[in-house]
Amino acid sequence: MKFWISLLVMMLFYDVVSAKEKVDMLVRHATIYPVNSSNDTASVLVIHQGKILALGNDDVCNRYAADTTLDATGQFLYPGFIDAHCHFAAQALDAYKLKLFGTTSFSQVVEKLKEYSEQNNRYWIEASGWDQNDWVVKKFPTKDKLDTLFPDRPVFLLRVDGHAALVNQKALDLSGIDIHTRIDGGEIEIRNGKLSGLLTDNALEKVRKQIPALRQEEREQYIREAQSKYFSVGLCSVVEPGIDTFIFRDLQSLYNQHILSMRVSVFLDANTANVNRFSRQESYQNEQLHLCGFKMYVDGSLGSRGALLAKPYEDRHEHYGMHLMSKDSLIAIVKAVSRSPYQLAAHAIGDAANHEVLQSYARVLSKKNQRRWRVEHAQVVDPKDLSFFRNYHILPSVQPSHAMGDMDWAKDRLGKQRMPFAYAYHDLLQTNGLLPLGTDYPVEDLNPLYTFISAVFRCNESGMPQGGFQPENRLSRLEALRGITLWPAYSVFEEKQKGSLEPGKLADFVLLDTDLLQASREQIQNAKVLSTWVSGRCVYKAN
């Protein structure tokens, strides 16, 4: 009798199990923030064929039988983070160069260069990441020491913002630059009647053209090796604004070989040839690589005094910054892209540059359009120009950690009157009700949690300044979370595929040990990414 009862129980159990829908994976016992319209939470995530099938609470588990179950043990699960503006592939190609981030003096830079030059047999000595604002003596250096140390090898030292460089005489000679050379949209600094070696913006290109290009296999290797760092901080997707067609082809090749898992949305360098060529081709978009449009550079950076201002710099009278392209060229690109199906993004930092971009966009866009054209950085915006964002649905794409990096010296550049209009993220958020957030990596730290902290607390890693830098422009925690998930997806027409955890969307998510909506700044700063998942597949797991 017992045998038959046991058999009956087994049969009933089998019927119940077989009645359940079979899926690839269940995530249980998590605190899930889906970042959906209702701002609710869940504890169970159901994944099948790389996408989210359902989410809810324990009762959801009764409907599914999974091949794999992940017990999150109460940890916190978010949509995979998205960086709305960083340089994934472009930065990867700098892997062989000397990194000067965090140096405290030019003397320290020189010592690093001496050691690097002995270990590196490339003819050109290349480095990046220095920032004179971090040095005790906050002045731009000159090439004199470089000329003494490296008379026969060209040296190219790119500033942290990518808009200035220090080069030695050998590099100048190879580039054909002398005291009589003039470059539109760039500056070749002359001190005491001699070349100082400092170049800004378009002047850099005259030197860059002399540096031998990497081979395709080298480029692909560096890009392939880069993605692990992004996964380790919870990033599943990035938007890369401004790459050349060679890098785009490299990305296509790597994805075709199933080598990359990082999702990349790219904007090609905006020039007439690119716009005409790609506008005639079928648009390129799949779940991994998306060609969104084109990016133009209108001005330089504030740190190197290249940002285009409406009134002179406070610390350099009669200097307004740099036009990196003529107004005629700007209008020509705007008109050409308006006739294509693509987006347009513009690097604009100074208030004059932002005004020019917004006005040019308004000339070709209809009001309340859905083109989702972007302004990258939007660092200093005259309040009178904010209406352009709202009326023409133009998206400001900003990097909150820039405010933390610049706050000690920005007032020196802008003066007291202009400062309230700088890094005004809350004001920009109000224009469209959304604000995609990025890092501009490698200019700032890649970690999206630092972006979150900068946006919410408006302070640096040391908690300074107390009370926050211009705290009236901080974002709420939920706004900042949307800024590193859903809003970047929206900014490139991908909100139906990712950015929130909802049925039908890609199963991209990150598991943290910290509640971003409740934890203190210190706890968030020390938060640990436990694992990162792309299409329901683990691409990173903490040790």
Side-chain angles (χ1 to χ4, degrees), residues 45 47 138 143 158 167 170 200 258 272 284 290 313 342 425 439 448 479 509-510 525 534:
L45 192 66
I47 298 167
K138 302 181 187 301
K143 66 182 179 66
L158 188 65
V167 303
K170 184 66 175 180
T200 62
H258 306 288
T272 303
Y284 189 97
H290 177 196
Y313 276 75
Y342 289 104
Y425 304 135
T439 60
E479 289 166 348
F509 60 92
V510 57
Q525 191 165 302
V534 174

Side-chain angles (χ1 to χ4, degrees), residues 362-432:
R363 290 178 62 172
V364 300
L365 296 175
S366 61
K367 289 193 174 183
K368 304 300 181 184
N369 68 85
Q370 276 300 317
R371 298 295 301 268
R372 301 184 194 178
W373 285 13
R374 299 163 46 126
V375 177
E376 307 300 321
H377 308 302
Q379 257 180 353
V380 188
V381 181
D382 190 303
K384 295 193 294 290
D385 288 333
L386 292 176
S387 60
F388 283 107
F389 290 103
R390 181 181 302 106
N391 293 340
Y392 296 92
H393 196 54
I394 300 166
L395 306 182
S397 167
V398 304
Q399 302 75 44
S401 49
H402 276 327
M404 301 306 101
D406 299 355
M407 63 183 178
D408 290 337
W409 50 263
K411 188 176 178 181
D412 296 336
R413 301 282 194 276
L414 297 174
K416 183 178 179 180
Q417 291 185 333
R418 274 185 297 212
M419 276 305 296
F421 314 145
Y423 317 97
Y425 304 135
H426 182 268
D427 292 344
L428 290 168
L429 172 62
Q430 302 311 304
T431 61
N432 282 307

Side-chain angles (χ1 to χ4, degrees), residues 177-198:
I177 296 175
D178 59 30
I179 60 172
H180 303 295
T181 305
R182 299 293 180 267
I183 305 289
D184 290 338
E187 184 176 10
I188 300 169
E189 187 183 66
I190 297 174
R191 295 188 197 177
N192 302 318
K194 298 180 180 180
L195 294 171
S196 72
L198 185 69

Side-chain angles (χ1 to χ4, degrees), residues 158-405:
L158 188 65
R159 190 180 182 275
V160 64
D161 57 10
H163 288 269
L166 183 70
V167 303
N168 67 345
Q169 188 61 45
K170 184 66 175 180
L172 292 169
D173 291 342
L174 290 172
S175 307
I177 296 175
D178 59 30
I179 60 172
H180 303 295
T181 305
R182 299 293 180 267
I183 305 289
D184 290 338
E187 184 176 10
I188 300 169
E189 187 183 66
I190 297 174
R191 295 188 197 177
N192 302 318
K194 298 180 180 180
L195 294 171
S196 72
L198 185 69
L199 310 175
T200 62
D201 295 307
N202 290 350
L204 275 61
E205 297 310 310
K206 197 167 179 62
V207 179
R208 279 196 175 112
K209 290 177 180 178
Q210 307 304 315
I211 302 175
L214 293 172
R215 300 188 307 273
Q216 181 178 354
E217 55 268 30
E218 289 180 305
R219 297 197 308 267
E220 291 189 3
Q221 175 190 343
Y222 290 141
I223 295 172
R224 184 173 63 248
E225 293 171 351
Q227 68 176 353
S228 59
K229 181 174 183 178
Y230 289 71
F231 291 147
S232 72
V233 294
L235 284 164
C236 296
S237 301
V238 297
V239 180
E240 178 149 17
I243 62 172
D244 62 36
T245 54
F246 292 104
I247 297 179
F248 180 62
R249 299 307 182 200
D250 292 339
L251 290 169
Q252 285 182 301
S253 173
L254 290 168
Y255 283 121
N256 289 339
Q257 298 174 64
H258 306 288
I259 290 174
L260 289 184
S261 298
M262 174 66 61
R263 306 190 198 280
V264 184
S265 305
V266 303
F267 288 78
L268 296 179
D269 292 329
N271 57 57
T272 303
N274 277 348
V275 175
N276 290 341
R277 175 185 174 189
F278 285 89
S279 295
R280 290 194 296 266
Q281 300 177 9
E282 186 176 349
S283 61
Y284 189 97
Q285 180 176 6
N286 54 43
E287 290 181 352
Q288 291 184 302
L289 181 61
H290 177 196
L291 174 56
C292 307
F294 308 94
K295 180 194 175 185
M296 54 186 181
Y297 291 84
V298 178
D299 67 344
S301 74
L302 197 62
S304 53
R305 297 187 184 87
L308 188 63
L309 301 181
K311 295 181 180 179
Y313 276 75
E314 188 75 9
D315 57 356
R316 186 176 171 186
H317 300 307
E318 298 184 5
H319 181 70
Y320 291 80
M322 291 286 176
H323 268 109
L324 298 195
M325 59 192 309
S326 69
K327 290 186 179 181
D328 288 343
S329 297
L330 172 64
I331 293 298
I333 292 295
V334 167
K335 288 182 176 179
V337 178
S338 72
R339 295 189 292 267
S340 81
Y342 289 104
Q343 291 176 266
L344 182 58
H347 166 112
I349 289 182
D351 52 356
N354 277 282
H355 179 74
E356 287 186 12
V357 169
L358 292 167
Q359 271 202 328
S360 68
Y361 282 9
R363 290 178 62 172
V364 300
L365 296 175
S366 61
K367 289 193 174 183
K368 304 300 181 184
N369 68 85
Q370 276 300 317
R371 298 295 301 268
R372 301 184 194 178
W373 285 13
R374 299 163 46 126
V375 177
E376 307 300 321
H377 308 302
Q379 257 180 353
V380 188
V381 181
D382 190 303
K384 295 193 294 290
D385 288 333
L386 292 176
S387 60
F388 283 107
F389 290 103
R390 181 181 302 106
N391 293 340
Y392 296 92
H393 196 54
I394 300 166
L395 306 182
S397 167
V398 304
Q399 302 75 44
S401 49
H402 276 327
M404 301 306 101

